[in-house]
Amino acid sequence: MRIYRERSDSYPPSAIYNLYGRQGDFLIAPYSLVLYNGGNQIISSAGDAGPIKQASELVIGNIFNYDLPTNPGSLIKPIVRIAPSINIDFAPVVSIDVAPEVKIGDAVILDVLSGAGTITGTVIDVAKRRPLNQLGGTAAIGYMIGFNTQLQTKYIGARVLLNKAPGNRPLLGMLYDFGNNSRGRVFPCELL
């Protein structure tokens, strides 16, 4: 599902991103939803953010919470929890599983929406502290993945699956950041 944060009294709207999934009573989305000014600043309170909408303009809920960096070097979870609207059926939204064991060299697939073709990659480095490009000095835990193509902003929030065999594609985590090349950072789902 493609989502974005609507304009509020204080902040411009976000770009459109992928909804990652659901966990318990909350929807999980990428941290980029609460960034503005080119991704260099963060909304200081969930109450100040506009509602979250589907790309079709349907309101799906409101931001419930997210980590605020407390100081330079803060370690945050690069996710936003969304409290869904009462009248929306989220049964089709994928529930987030526990990630499998991962090793360097494992093949992965970036689960993007139709039209992007198949984007594959390889685990380059294990999950560890990595800087967030958007917020200088802030960091998150993430796997480093080398993908077979240049990544685009619209892929943020996409699910990354281990490509063990046809029919055996367990969830690794969520793409939350990438550099100026085909390397992306993936937040492990077990850390949610």
Side-chain angles (χ1 to χ4, degrees), residues 67 94 163:
D67 287 352
V94 179
N163 191 14

Side-chain angles (χ1 to χ4, degrees), residues 43-73:
I43 295 173
S44 58
S45 165
D48 292 338
I52 303 301
K53 289 188 170 184
Q54 224 177 339
S56 65
E57 298 297 314
L58 176 69
V59 174
I60 64 165
N62 290 296
I63 294 174
F64 180 74
N65 69 5
Y66 52 92
D67 287 352
L68 282 170
T70 53
N71 54 45

